[in-house]
Amino acid sequence: VKSEMAKTKSLSEEARRSADLAIQSCEDSMRRQKAEAKQSHDFEMMRQTQLENRIKELEAEISETRVRCSELQSTLAKQAVEEVELQEKRFASASNLVQEELQKLQLQMCEERVKCETLAASRDHFRRKVEELCRKLLEKEEQIQKSEVQCFKQTGASKDAAPSGNSVDRQSDGHCNAASNASQHFTLDWLQKQKGELLATGLYTEEDAVIRALNAQIAEQAH
């Protein structure tokens, strides 16, 4: 009986120690689990705080981006309006330039037309003057020939009729020279008149060929 009691007591103490150890082990495990849970909770809370802060930062960036987008849209719209206005101004300027060029070309065409008409009138006037000049020169040559023939006839008749031949010759020569001088004076006056008429038309200058030819004829007649 005593040995059984001692054995039972020993088993009871062993069971109590085993129970104490199990309880202590459970308590340690619970404390560890509690610490791990607290640590995990704190980590989750910290992570949640970081995520909330990040969300706030992103919301601020989104708000700032929206503001910038709005400003950019406003700037682009303003630039588009300015570009349209600039293109309209360029188009208006180009249109004005085209109109000015067109007006210049029309003016040049009118000037060229006037020049052509003036040239045609000058050509017709020159042809008429040349024809008139040729006709006058032919008439002058005919008058000179007639005057020479008449002088020759008078000289011959005077020689046959007059007793003193020298006096008659001098008179005949005087008549011939007078006729020649009168014809030359008439030609010089007529040439000067023709030159004055040509210059008065405004179609000729002193450098034109017809005026130079008339100057040469006038100089030749004057000498």
Side-chain angles (χ1 to χ4, degrees):
V1 175
K2 287 183 179 181
S3 66
E4 288 294 332
M5 290 179 65
K7 187 177 180 180
T8 302
K9 185 177 179 180
S10 174
L11 290 173
S12 176
E13 289 178 355
E14 186 177 356
R16 188 172 58 251
R17 284 194 300 271
S18 297
D20 291 337
L21 290 172
I23 291 170
Q24 186 177 358
S25 178
C26 287
E27 289 178 353
D28 292 338
S29 178
M30 289 180 66
R31 281 195 296 270
R32 284 195 302 273
Q33 290 179 0
K34 183 179 180 180
E36 290 176 358
K38 184 179 180 181
Q39 185 179 3
S40 178
H41 180 268
D42 293 340
F43 179 75
E44 291 296 332
M45 290 295 294
M46 183 178 64
R47 185 178 178 185
Q48 183 178 359
T49 303
Q50 290 177 353
L51 289 175
E52 289 176 354
N53 292 332
R54 181 59 180 165
I55 289 171
K56 289 180 181 179
E57 291 176 358
L58 291 174
E59 288 178 351
E61 290 179 0
I62 290 172
S63 178
E64 185 178 356
T65 303
R66 287 177 178 174
V67 172
R68 290 178 62 185
C69 288
S70 178
E71 292 177 353
L72 184 60
Q73 289 177 353
S74 177
T75 303
L76 289 175
K78 186 177 180 180
Q79 289 179 354
V81 172
E82 290 177 353
E83 185 69 21
V84 171
E85 292 178 353
L86 182 61
Q87 290 180 355
E88 290 178 354
K89 289 180 180 179
R90 288 177 180 174
F91 180 76
S93 178
S95 178
N96 291 332
L97 289 175
V98 171
Q99 290 180 357
E100 290 178 359
E101 291 295 331
L102 181 60
Q103 290 177 357
K104 289 180 180 179
L105 291 175
Q106 290 177 350
L107 182 60
Q108 290 177 359
M109 289 178 63
C110 291
E111 291 176 353
E112 292 296 330
R113 188 180 297 111
V114 171
K115 288 181 180 179
C116 291
E117 293 176 355
T118 303
L119 183 61
S122 175
R123 185 176 60 250
D124 296 337
H125 185 268
F126 179 72
R127 186 177 65 252
R128 290 195 301 271
K129 287 297 180 180
V130 169
E131 291 175 355
E132 184 178 358
L133 179 61
C134 292
R135 183 174 56 81
K136 291 290 185 180
L137 290 176
L138 291 175
E139 291 178 356
K140 174 193 170 185
E141 292 293 334
E142 291 178 357
Q143 290 177 358
I144 292 173
Q145 291 177 0
K146 290 180 180 180
S147 177
E148 289 177 353
V149 171
Q150 185 177 2
C151 289
F152 180 75
K153 290 180 178 180
Q154 289 178 357
T155 302
S158 299
K159 285 181 179 180
D160 295 335
S164 60
N166 293 330
S167 177
V168 172
D169 290 340
R170 285 194 299 269
Q171 290 178 358
S172 298
D173 292 338
H175 287 298
C176 292
N177 291 330
S180 176
N181 291 331
S183 175
Q184 183 176 2
H185 181 70
F186 171 77
T187 304
L188 181 62
D189 291 340
W190 182 81
L191 289 172
Q192 291 177 348
K193 181 180 178 182
Q194 294 299 313
K195 175 184 175 182
E197 289 179 357
L198 290 174
L199 292 175
T201 60
L203 302 175
Y204 300 93
T205 63
E206 293 289 343
E207 301 298 327
D208 289 324
V210 64
I211 301 299
R212 290 200 301 267
L214 288 173
N215 289 331
Q217 290 291 329
I218 291 171
E220 182 180 353
Q221 294 294 329
H223 290 82

